[in-house]
Amino acid sequence: GSLSFGSIRNNVQIDGNTVINIAGGNSWATGAVSNERIIGDGFVEFQSGILGKGIMLGLNKDPSGDHTESDYYNQLEYAINITGGNNIHLYENGIEVGDVSVTHEEGNTYRIEVAGDKVKYIARKATGEIIKLHESTRSDTSEAYHIDMGLYAYGSQAKNIIIASNP
């Protein structure tokens, strides 16, 4: 079904399960937070709509904090960052994890999955090829997570966002 977004920052346009930055200027503070949460095991999946536009999307247990340009990376417990140069970085609480050599391509789908005490980062190419990017261990398996994102530049977008939860 469609997601709903309760916290919208700066100028974003929401079209079903797609969120687009329609603001001028570059700012990680532009984005939105889902009302829906992952409780127990579950995942978020998304695509980046346009090559060369930075986005960061991930899971946030407490999205009520201010999102500012300087602390944005620290807000998300688990996040996938696609840079303007189409590189992929993974962050956990503001610290980069893993060493991802995969380059972002149009049509890639990304997934952050929480299962028990594991957090898995997965990319699926348009060809169907699945690439496991990284796996971490989480200490608190009782946390519930909202989808949260930063859309850096005009036109940056996260599209076909899916959330699934199996409490």
Side-chain angles (χ1 to χ4, degrees), residues 90 92 97-100 119-122 131-136:
L90 310 176
E92 296 184 354
V97 298
D99 181 16
V100 179
V119 179
K120 300 173 185 176
Y121 300 86
I122 300 161
I131 303 165
K132 294 179 179 170
L133 303 175
H134 184 68
E135 183 174 304
S136 291

Side-chain angles (χ1 to χ4, degrees), residues 18-41:
T18 297
V19 182
I20 305 167
N21 176 337
I22 56 170
N26 295 334
S27 172
W28 283 117
T30 300
V33 177
S34 69
N35 289 319
E36 295 75 17
R37 297 184 303 163
I38 294 172
I39 300 170
D41 294 349

